[in-house]
């Protein structure tokens, strides 16, 4: 397969690379033998956006003698489906993407701490540590609360706490413990404190941001789900992940995750690399709702894994064309 500056998906819509200046990190700044992770959510089928992330995760790990952890991020219990988990595991095998830990068979065998819905005890223990430091409080704010504050003040909420001032209200955490989708209760937040976090992104360079820029971190929502930002920090500490590789859409989440890891006792922070995204011609990033970009459908239509990796490499800005590349050769995309 060869590529033009744009490429149509099987459904006919154009896919365009995000501006990819600096899509490839300088090999001199890459940490030796890092532990990184591939962590899809089973809320839909894998698509080209996931494949771009996989290129970076496995490619950087193989180029540096690193280690890939596979994690299933099914913290959102209302949207996650076992069928999607089974499909993503099948797709990884078909693509030839084998994690170093755990083997794919471990997910099929039963509970594993690498599946977030099986890891509730670890999240509860992390929360207890934060509660012991006086940082956890119940919060009754909803999206409507934030929207009402914005309407009243002409700007989005920004700063420590929450619009309802819940930390000072002493709300009972029992409302959070009893929360269910059918009967939402209160959420739980962690007071992340003032000040900034500074870090060097391996693509974007030196950055700084305030962890509390949009309020204290919600760690358990009003329907009883642990939140993404909380789970990934706890999991990354447990797995020894020291290189977080993900899309640029998550860049703004970095400062609060660095702060939370510090509050949980992490002494050496993880390093981060936020790579370009694949977007539709409308400017929207790919989503799992776009079934016409599903990896499994493109494979069924006759594309080989090497074809898809080549296409993803071009869309990520790692190559100028779509020359096929096999899973075992992804490390060559990041060699000097």
């Amino acid at each position: 397969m060869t590529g033009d500056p744009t490429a149509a998906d099987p459904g006919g819509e154009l896919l365009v690379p995000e501006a990819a200046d600096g899509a490839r990190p300088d090999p001199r700044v890459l940490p030796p033998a890092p532990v990184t992770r591939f962590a899809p959510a089973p809320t839909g089928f894998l698509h080209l956006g996931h494949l771009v992330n996989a290129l970076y995760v496995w490619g950087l790990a193989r180029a540096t003698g690193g280690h890939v952890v596979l994690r299933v991020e099914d913290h959102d219990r209302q949207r996650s489906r076992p069928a999607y988990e089974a499909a993503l595991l099948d797709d990884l095998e078909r693509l030839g993407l084998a994690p170093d830990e755990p083997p794919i068979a471990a997910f099929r065998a039963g509970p594993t701490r690498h599946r977030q819905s099986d890891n509730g005890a670890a999240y509860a223990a992390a929360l207890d540590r934060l509660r012991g430091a006086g940082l956890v409080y119940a919060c009754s704010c909803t999206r409507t609360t934030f929207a009402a504050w914005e309407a009243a003040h002409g700007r989005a909420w920004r700063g420590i706490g929450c619009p309802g001032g819940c930390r000072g209200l002493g709300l009972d955490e029992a409302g959070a413990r009893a929360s269910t989708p059918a009967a939402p209760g209160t959420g739980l937040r962690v007071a992340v404190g003032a000040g900034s976090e500074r870090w060097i992104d391996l693509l974007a360079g030196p950055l700084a941001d305030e962890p509390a820029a949009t309020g204290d971190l919600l760690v358990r929502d009003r329907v009883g789900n642990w939140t993404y930002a909380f789970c990934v920090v706890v999991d990354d500490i447990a797995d020894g992940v020291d290189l977080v590789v993900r899309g640029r859409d998550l860049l703004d989440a970095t400062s609060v995750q660095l702060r939370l890891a510090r509050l949980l006792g992490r002494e050496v922070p993880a390093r981060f690399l936020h790579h370009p995204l694949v977007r539709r011609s409308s400017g929207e990033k790919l989503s799992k709702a776009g079934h016409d970009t599903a990896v499994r459908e493109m494979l069924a239509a006759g594309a080989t894994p090497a074809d898809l990796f080549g296409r993803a490499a071009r869309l990520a800005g790692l190559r100028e064309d779509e020359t096929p590349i096999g899973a075992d050769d992804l490390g060559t995309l990041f060699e000097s």
Side-chain angles (χ1 to χ4, degrees), residues 9-334:
D9 67 21
E13 185 170 3
L14 291 179
L15 302 180
V16 297
E18 191 173 51
D21 295 338
R24 184 179 288 100
D26 186 334
R28 294 172 297 181
V29 305
L30 295 175
V35 177
T36 187
R37 35 86 161 172
F38 184 68
T43 56
F45 296 121
L46 295 185
H47 53 62
L48 278 171
H50 293 107
L51 213 53
V52 166
N53 181 243
L55 286 183
Y56 275 91
V57 169
W58 266 272
L60 288 168
R62 299 304 174 245
T64 58
H67 186 88
V68 177
V69 174
L70 177 61
R71 181 187 305 153
V72 172
E73 295 193 340
D74 62 346
H75 56 89
D76 186 337
R77 303 306 302 141
Q78 285 67 60
R79 296 175 60 225
S80 296
R81 299 287 184 272
Y84 287 136
E85 177 181 324
L88 73 86
L89 297 176
D90 291 344
D91 289 347
L92 290 176
E93 288 182 326
R94 293 185 66 188
L95 291 166
L97 294 173
D100 298 298
E101 177 191 354
I104 287 175
F107 291 94
R108 297 184 176 125
T112 167
R113 71 175 181 83
H114 292 96
R115 180 188 292 114
Q116 289 181 335
S117 61
D118 295 331
N119 212 22
Y123 306 138
L127 188 68
D128 282 344
R129 176 171 181 154
L130 297 168
R131 185 182 288 111
L135 299 175
V136 177
Y137 63 92
C139 175
S140 61
C141 291
T142 65
R143 292 179 181 177
T144 301
T145 310
F146 280 82
W149 194 96
E150 182 175 352
H153 295 83
R155 62 180 179 85
W157 169 264
R158 184 177 180 86
I160 295 171
C162 60
C166 294
R167 191 179 188 189
L169 298 179
L171 300 176
D172 190 347
E173 283 192 31
R177 291 191 291 272
S179 297
T180 67
T186 54
L188 293 175
R189 292 186 185 273
V190 168
V192 295
S196 297
E197 290 287 335
R198 299 179 182 275
W199 72 99
I200 298 177
D201 187 274
L202 297 185
L203 280 181
L207 296 168
D209 198 8
E210 298 174 9
T214 56
D216 282 335
L217 179 66
L218 186 69
V219 295
R220 194 170 177 108
D221 67 21
R222 295 179 62 248
V223 299
N225 291 321
W226 298 105
T227 64
Y228 162 79
F230 184 62
C231 290
V232 295
V233 172
V234 175
D235 292 337
D236 285 346
I237 292 172
D239 293 333
V241 170
D242 55 13
L243 177 59
V244 176
V245 179
R246 58 191 186 184
R248 288 180 180 169
D249 55 324
L250 291 170
L251 188 60
D252 289 345
T254 307
S255 65
V256 72
Q257 291 175 11
L258 285 168
R259 178 66 58 82
L260 178 61
R262 193 189 312 279
L263 294 174
L264 286 172
R266 183 161 191 165
E267 296 180 359
V268 179
R271 303 186 74 178
F272 288 81
L273 184 151
H274 291 85
H275 59 70
L277 305 174
V278 180
R279 296 190 179 276
R280 299 189 179 280
S281 54
S282 62
E284 297 175 325
K285 72 170 187 174
L286 298 188
S287 71
K288 298 183 185 73
H291 297 296
D292 50 355
T293 62
V295 166
R296 58 181 30 232
E297 293 190 3
M298 288 184 279
L299 290 171
T304 68
D307 289 334
L308 297 186
F309 287 134
R311 186 179 186 195
R314 200 272 302 167
L315 287 170
L318 293 169
R319 280 186 166 179
E320 294 183 356
D321 59 29
E322 297 187 359
T323 301
I325 181 171
D328 291 340
D329 296 321
L330 297 181
T332 63
L333 294 171
F334 299 95

